[in-house]
Amino acid sequence: RTYSPKQSGPTEGLGAKMSEPCPYCECDPCDCDWGTNNDKVYYDESCYVCSLEINAVRARGEACGIEFVDISSPDFNKDGNYDDEMIGEFDGAETVGVETFRKMYERMGFVRAVRFSRLPVIRNFVNAGYKIFAYGIRPYLPKKRVDNG
């Protein structure tokens, strides 16, 4: 499923503005920087849970300027630790773990949900849940075969 908004101003490519309400972040008229942020989320397509999450939000994320990079691809150059927690790059700064999810969902317009996840007590539960999954569950989950050809 792809998204091709009616645009005013530049009519092609990323960075074009919409003249109608944004279906993703609900700003009216849309003032999103469609694809000009150079935001990236590094995820593992061979992990069932990771790929399920990313593939569920991919169209919306890409429309909001997020590039999803599969670390299980043979083309990916693994300089750094990408195996334990999800890594992201937002506004030129690296994010790790649950903060990557927060930034990703914030960019996609889920601002209230992200704010809720940052409340002091809730933050502790969300952070702990992510750590338990990333270090205690995910390493033991079966990996799926990824066809890269």
Side-chain angles (χ1 to χ4, degrees):
R1 198 171 97 191
T2 59
Y3 180 70
S4 56
K6 293 180 183 176
Q7 302 164 338
S8 64
T11 57
E12 292 184 18
L14 298 174
K17 305 278 185 177
M18 292 176 39
S19 60
E20 58 189 41
C22 177
Y24 294 119
C25 67
E26 301 174 3
C27 49
D28 185 16
C30 183
D31 62 354
C32 295
D33 292 328
W34 292 82
T36 60
N37 295 328
N38 296 322
D39 297 331
K40 293 181 183 178
V41 172
Y42 298 91
Y43 76 103
D44 184 359
E45 182 67 30
S46 69
C47 169
Y48 284 103
V49 176
C50 304
S51 64
L52 180 68
E53 171 88 16
I54 296 304
N55 291 328
V57 300
R58 181 182 303 277
R60 184 175 187 153
E62 288 174 348
C64 293
I66 301 171
E67 178 185 352
F68 296 98
V69 180
D70 176 14
I71 65 167
S72 65
S73 169
D75 299 334
F76 182 69
N77 181 10
K78 276 192 178 180
D79 287 337
N81 183 14
Y82 291 91
D83 293 327
D84 295 332
E85 297 188 57
M86 187 174 282
I87 306 291
E89 293 175 17
F90 293 91
D91 298 324
E94 184 179 280
T95 59
V96 178
V98 75
E99 193 57 30
T100 298
F101 282 99
R102 287 185 179 115
K103 290 286 190 181
M104 178 178 72
Y105 280 102
E106 191 172 53
R107 282 283 192 274
M108 293 189 301
F110 296 97
V111 177
R112 281 188 257 166
V114 170
R115 284 185 191 148
F116 179 75
S117 78
R118 287 186 173 136
L119 292 174
V121 174
I122 304 301
R123 169 186 284 167
N124 292 340
F125 280 110
V126 171
N127 291 355
Y130 180 83
K131 292 285 187 186
I132 289 168
F133 174 77
Y135 292 100
I137 298 171
R138 184 177 175 269
Y140 302 104
L141 293 176
K143 298 279 187 178
K144 66 180 182 176
R145 291 184 188 186
V146 180
D147 182 27
N148 292 313

